[in-house]
Every structure is written in structure tokens, then in C-alpha cells.
């Protein structure tokens, strides 16, 4: 009986021993017990098209017996379009930044600020440089930073998590109309109370947006574009299909100024940014022309809903 209990105890101890070893070796980097571990505090960021600012991320440095002395940031780029069309979605990878770590205690460090020019520098995709204008990127494209630490013991430890900066647009989201007018042959017909209480603006690409069910008639879809200066324009066609409102081609302030005199063209078709509260505004004037009758014109101011 004693021999049987001894064998059971030995089996239990052996299982416990190997469980502990397995647990210790399955840390984030496999080297955390020796040093070299860093934690990416901000692993996911949005790169907003048209934002001229710089983007930074934060890293927490855990100092173990083998101290971290340097951080290396390797950058690359991923293309949604090339993934779906060409099958070669990744750029080359380059060493962007090396930072010296002088603090030998556990602490946080902030990366340098990366502008768009800095992000695309030295990167190529399928043999070509990345677009000089971020408006030529696609929604869902992303810049990646791979983080590697260098220690006093001469080791290099790659962190399991990469920093991802996804290309996004600022002006997509839900909006509420705060001013609205509709004129039928120059006669005011509908006002703010006739507009839907909420309008959804969707991103189509880096500069193009669309709205559906956005005015009193509902059922219409409108494509518009916002350039780097904040000007709103309306393409006559989208993907070779004419823009139609209430079964008629769209008219604009630029193309039909005489027909659009009622809808504030001089002060419209622009964005008004709110960098403090995020309540950006879209000021828009557009319309359509009914043959044998005359123009129907819209003016609206949409304010972004901040949740």
C-alpha cells in the first residue's frame, strides 16, 4: 500500500513539475524571465486621411536582470487593394527608428512622431513608392511597426504584438441635420423638420463618402468627396454610373450656378472641423433639374454625433 501511494505521489509531482515549466515558457516573448519584455500600450491606431499631424504610440519597458538598452522599430505597409486584386499586399520592411533606453527601471516610453511623409519613407509596394498623397490610399490599408528590444546581454527580443496604424477617414459616422432647406423652382418647400433626424455618412475610399436616405424624399444615394483643403465636391459619375437624385442627374454650384442661387453656394460645400469636441460639420448644396419644369435644390448642415 505504501509503495502504491509513493508511485501516485511521484506521478503527481512529475505532472506538477512539467506543468510549471510549460507555464513559465509560454510567456508573451518566452524571454520575459530574463529581460527584453516590452508591452505595446497603444497597439491599434487610426491614421486619418488629411490629418497633417504626427502619430505616436506608447511602449512599456519591463526591466529584468538582462536590461533593455535599445528599442528598434521596423515598419511596413499592408495594402487592402493589392490583397484582393494582385495578391501581393505587403511592402518591404525597413528599420525606421532606434531608441536608446537609459532608464534601467520599468517605465513607459513614447515613440517619435510619424507624419505621413515619415511613414511612407523608403517603403515600396510591388516595386513602386507609396502614394505621395494620402488621399490615394484605400480604407483599411495599414502601417505596421514591429518592435524589437536589444539587451545588455546582446540578445534581441521581438515583441509578440505589432503596432497597427489603420487608414481611416475622419468624416465617416452618424450626423444630425442642424439646418436644412429645399427649393422647388426657387420656392421654399421643405425645412429642417422634414429631414430625417439622423444621417449616416459612409467611407467609400480615402476621400469619397456616400449618404443614403439623407433628405425629405429618402431612397436617394449621394456620393461626395472632401479634398485636403476641406472643400466638398460631387462627381457627376461614380464608377461610370451617373449620380441621380429623384430620377434626374445631379446639379452643383459649379456646374449650374444660376439654378443654385437659392442654396447658399458662396458659403457652402465645405467642412467645419471641431478639433475639441469632434462635432465636425458638413455644409452642402446640391440639386437636380427636372426637364420642362426647373431646378430642385438642397441645402443642409450636418453635425457629427459624438457618442
Amino acid at each position: 500500500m505504501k509503495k502504491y501511494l509513493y508511485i501516485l505521489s511521484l506521478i503527481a509531482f512529475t505532472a506538477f513539475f512539467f506543468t510549471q515549466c510549460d507555464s513559465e515558457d509560454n510567456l508573451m516573448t518566452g524571454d520575459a524571465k530574463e529581460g527584453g519584455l516590452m508591452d505595446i500600450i497603444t497597439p491599434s491606431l487610426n491614421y486619418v486621411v488629411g490629418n497633417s499631424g504626427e502619430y505616436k504610440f506608447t511602449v512599456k519597458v519591463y526591466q529584468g536582470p538582462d536590461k533593455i538598452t535599445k528599442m528598434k522599430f521596423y515598419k511596413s505597409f499592408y495594402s487592402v487593394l493589392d490583397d484582393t486584386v494582385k495578391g501581393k499586399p505587403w511592402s518591404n520592411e525597413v528599420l525606421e527608428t532606434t531608441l536608446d533606453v537609459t532608464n534601467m527601471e520599468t517605465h513607459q516610453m513614447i515613440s517619435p512622431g510619424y507624419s505621413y511623409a515619415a511613414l511612407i519613407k523608403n517603403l515600396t509596394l510591388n516595386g513602386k513608392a507609396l502614394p505621395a498623397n494620402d488621399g490615394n490610399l484605400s480604407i483599411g490599408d495599414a502601417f505596421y511597426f514591429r518592435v524589437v528590444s536589444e539587451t545588455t546581454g546582446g540578445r534581441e527580443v521581438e515583441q509578440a504584438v505589432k503596432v497597427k496604424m489603420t487608414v481611416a477617414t475622419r468624416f465617416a459616422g452618424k450626423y444630425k441635420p442642424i439646418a436644412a432647406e429645399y427649393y422647388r423652382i426657387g420656392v421654399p418647400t421643405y425645412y429642417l423638420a422634414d429631414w430625417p433626424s439622423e444621417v449616416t455618412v459612409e467611407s467609400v475610399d480615402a476621400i469619397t463618402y456616400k449618404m443614403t436616405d439623407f433628405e425629405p424624399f429618402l431612397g436617394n444615394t449621394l456620393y461626395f468627396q472632401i479634398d485636403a483643403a476641406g472643400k466638398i465636391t460631387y462627381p457627376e459619375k461614380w464608377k461610370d454610373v451617373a449620380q441621380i437624385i429623384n430620377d434626374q442627374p445631379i446639379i452643383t454650384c459649379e456646374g449650374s450656378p444660376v439654378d443654385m442661387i437659392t442654396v447658399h453656394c458662396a458659403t457652402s460645400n465645405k467642412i467645419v472641423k471641431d478639433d475639441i469636441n469632434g462635432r465636425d460639420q458638413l455644409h452642402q448644396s446640391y440639386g437636380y433639374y427636372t426637364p420642362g419644369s426647373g431646378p430642385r435644390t438642397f441645402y443642409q448642415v450636418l453635425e457629427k454625433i459624438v457618442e
Side-chain angles (χ1 to χ4, degrees):
M1 182 67 177
K2 290 182 179 179
K3 184 175 181 181
Y4 179 73
L5 291 174
Y6 172 77
I7 292 172
L8 286 177
S9 299
L10 181 60
I11 292 172
F13 174 78
T14 302
F16 175 79
F17 175 79
F18 281 106
T19 299
Q20 293 303 302
C21 290
D22 183 69
S23 175
E24 187 174 36
D25 287 342
N26 277 321
L27 298 175
M28 184 178 295
T29 65
D31 296 300
K33 60 182 179 292
E34 299 178 12
L37 174 64
M38 294 185 290
D39 188 13
I40 310 298
I41 304 299
T42 48
S44 181
L45 303 170
N46 279 339
Y47 174 85
V48 179
V49 174
N51 181 4
S52 59
E54 296 183 334
Y55 295 83
K56 302 178 182 180
F57 51 90
T58 304
V59 179
K60 188 169 185 178
V61 180
Y62 293 91
Q63 292 291 24
D66 192 9
K67 305 293 186 182
I68 295 174
T69 59
K70 292 183 184 297
M71 288 193 297
K72 297 179 178 179
F73 302 149
Y74 293 85
K75 71 178 180 182
S76 57
F77 177 78
Y78 176 84
S79 168
V80 172
L81 180 62
D82 284 72
D83 189 20
T84 57
V85 178
K86 300 177 182 177
K88 297 180 179 179
W90 287 96
S91 74
N92 59 322
E93 182 183 68
V94 298
L95 174 59
E96 172 61 29
T97 307
T98 299
L99 294 181
D100 291 326
V101 180
T102 57
N103 188 340
M104 294 298 106
E105 303 296 328
T106 296
H107 65 290
Q108 290 188 2
M109 293 185 68
I110 299 176
S111 74
Y114 297 106
S115 64
Y116 181 67
L119 287 170
I120 66 173
K121 184 179 179 181
N122 296 325
L123 291 181
T124 59
L125 182 66
N126 294 322
K128 298 180 180 180
L130 297 185
N133 185 338
D134 62 3
N136 293 323
L137 298 178
S138 298
I139 304 305
D141 288 349
F143 295 93
Y144 283 85
F145 282 83
R146 183 168 62 91
V147 183
V148 176
S149 61
E150 187 176 301
T151 71
T152 52
R155 297 182 309 128
E156 286 197 342
V157 182
E158 180 177 342
Q159 307 311 304
V161 177
K162 295 180 180 180
V163 177
K164 181 181 181 182
M165 294 184 188
T166 305
V167 175
T169 54
R170 173 169 179 163
F171 302 106
K174 294 181 179 180
Y175 288 75
K176 65 177 181 180
I178 60 173
E181 302 167 13
Y182 169 80
Y183 295 84
R184 182 182 183 278
I185 323 175
V187 178
T189 308
Y190 294 119
Y191 301 94
L192 180 60
D194 302 300
W195 254 249
S197 60
E198 186 177 287
V199 174
T200 298
V201 176
E202 301 176 53
S203 292
V204 177
D205 59 30
I207 62 170
T208 307
Y209 300 82
K210 77 171 183 177
M211 297 185 295
T212 302
D213 295 340
F214 51 92
E215 25 77 336
F217 302 104
L218 305 180
N220 290 315
T221 297
L222 178 68
Y223 290 89
F224 63 96
Q225 296 175 326
I226 302 175
D227 67 15
K231 181 180 179 181
I232 297 176
T233 56
Y234 308 89
E236 291 184 3
K237 294 183 178 181
W238 179 250
K239 295 188 179 299
D240 295 325
V241 177
Q243 285 227 66
I244 300 296
I245 300 178
N246 288 354
D247 299 323
Q248 302 299 332
I250 190 173
I251 60 174
T252 64
C253 292
E254 290 81 3
S256 304
V258 175
D259 294 325
M260 300 287 292
I261 58 174
T262 56
V263 287
H264 319 288
C265 284
T267 58
S268 187
N269 291 324
K270 65 180 182 180
I271 59 168
V272 177
K273 293 182 179 180
D274 181 351
D275 293 326
I276 298 176
N277 299 310
R279 296 187 178 93
D280 296 328
Q281 293 182 357
L282 309 178
H283 294 239
Q284 298 179 288
S285 299
Y286 56 91
Y288 63 97
Y289 193 91
T290 302
S293 177
R296 274 71 165 160
T297 54
F298 300 84
Y299 170 74
Q300 63 185 21
V301 178
L302 306 179
E303 182 177 271
K304 196 169 190 180
I305 299 172
V306 180
E307 299 177 348

